[in-house]
Amino acid sequence: MLERIAEDMDTSQTNAEQEKKSKGNKALKSRETKAASEHGSQRVELGFGIMQLSSEFRALRASILRLWAEKIRAENWETDFHDMIRFNEAIDEAWMISLDHFQQKLDQSKNWFLGVLWHDLRNPISAVYGAQAILKLSQNLSEKEKGILQRSDFSLKRMTELINNLLEFTELNLGRGVVINRSLIDLSEHSEKIVQEIQLAYPKIDITIDTTDNIKGKWDASRLEQMMTNLITNAIHHGEPGSPVKVNLNSEEGQALFSVHNQGTPIPEGIKDKIFTDRFTNNNEDTTKEKNYGLGLYIVKEIVEGHEGKIELTSTQEEGTIFTVALPIH
C-alpha cells in the first residue's frame, strides 16, 4: 500500500487529473488498485467492520504525517506542503478502493448467507405443505377445520413470500433489479382470485373488489400477485381495525389502474416519498401503535417500475389511504 502511495506521489499530475481523482473518476489500472482491493477483501474475511477498516487508514495517515513533521525542512516547506497534499490524495484514493471492495465482498457474503437460509427453510416449509395436502384429503373435516386449513395455506404462502422479499431486497441492493417475465394474462380474473384467497385468510375483514371485465395484457403474473397481495395485506394491517378494504381495477387511456383503499390514520406528508424507498417504520405520533411498513412497499415500487408503470399514494383523514398503480397495457 505504501509503495503504491509513493508511486502515485512521484507521478506527474495536471489540475484536470487532480480534479478527476478528487471525484473518484480517475481511471486506474489493476496493478494500481491491487493492494487496496486485497486489503478490503481481507478485512471482510477477518471480521472487520467499516469503522475498523477506516480506522486503519486514519492511523496510517497519522503515523506518516507525524514522522513527516519530525523531518520537515523549513527551507523546502513549499515542496513538502505539495507532497503532503499528494500524500493525502493518494491515501484517500486507496481508502475508497479498499472500502469499495470491502462492501462488495460483504454483499456477496450476505447474499450467500440468505441463499443458505432460504435453502434451509425450504425443507421444513415443504414438509408443512405436504402435511396440509394430506389433511385436505380427509372426508371428515368440518367447515371450521376446512377454514383453518385455508388460512394456514395462506400463512404458509405469505411466509414464503416474506423470505422471497428478503432475498429480492438483497438482489435489489446489489443493483440487479427485478426480473420481469411477461405473458398474456387476464388481470381482472387474476385480481379477483387474489382477493378471494386473501378473504379466506381474513374472514373478519370485508374485502370488496370492483373490476372491469377482460383487462388483458402482457404482464408478469407472479410479480403482480406479489404486488397486489402486499398492497391489500398492508391495507388490512395498517387500516382502522375491522374497517373494510376496497379494491378497484379498471382501464383508462391504455393503462390498467389498480387501487387499494382503506380507512384509518392518514400517512403523514413527510414520509409519503420515503415509504417506498426501503424498510420504513413510523409510529404516526402514536406511541402505542407502531407501524412497520416492511420491505413490501419497496418491492411493490420495484415491480411497478419493472412493468414501466407508476404508483401513487393519497392519504387524508376524510378520504382514507389509497394506493393506485398504473400499468401500461401491452
Side-chain angles (χ1 to χ4, degrees), residues 79-207:
T79 301
D80 284 342
F81 183 70
H82 174 74
D83 286 346
M84 196 174 292
I85 291 173
R86 290 296 303 272
F87 166 74
N88 279 292
E89 289 176 353
I91 200 167
D92 283 343
E93 184 175 73
W95 182 9
M96 291 304 102
I97 293 169
S98 178
L99 190 59
D100 181 56
H101 279 261
F102 175 88
Q103 192 61 53
Q104 287 181 33
K105 188 80 173 178
L106 190 63
D107 287 339
Q108 289 171 5
S109 299
K110 287 179 179 177
N111 204 33
W112 174 84
F113 170 77
L114 289 171
V116 171
L117 175 66
W118 171 225
H119 181 271
D120 289 347
L121 286 174
R122 185 168 50 192
N123 288 337
I125 289 175
S126 297
V128 178
Y129 268 124
Q132 291 278 87
I134 293 171
L135 288 171
K136 287 176 185 176
L137 296 175
S138 172
Q139 302 296 319
N140 301 317
L141 293 175
S142 66
E143 289 303 313
K144 182 179 179 180
E145 289 168 335
K146 289 178 182 177
I148 292 171
L149 278 175
Q150 288 172 333
R151 287 195 293 278
S152 59
D153 267 349
F154 185 80
S155 296
L156 279 171
K157 187 176 180 182
R158 284 293 293 154
M159 188 186 303
T160 304
E161 286 173 354
L162 288 171
I163 295 170
N164 286 335
N165 276 351
L166 182 59
L167 291 170
E168 194 142 44
F169 179 71
T170 303
E171 292 292 306
L172 290 170
N173 276 354
L174 293 175
R176 295 172 186 166
V178 170
V179 177
I180 301 297
N181 297 309
R182 295 178 183 268
S183 61
L184 184 63
I185 63 171
D186 186 328
L187 195 57
S188 305
E189 182 180 308
H190 201 64
S191 58
E192 286 180 348
K193 186 188 85 162
I194 290 167
V195 168
Q196 289 170 5
E197 288 180 358
I198 298 175
Q199 183 68 82
L200 288 172
Y202 298 94
K204 295 182 180 180
I205 304 295
D206 181 20
I207 309 172

Side-chain angles (χ1 to χ4, degrees), residues 69-82:
E70 292 174 2
K71 296 183 179 294
I72 197 164
R73 298 159 297 176
E75 67 276 13
N76 290 318
W77 70 269
E78 288 187 26
T79 301
D80 284 342
F81 183 70
H82 174 74

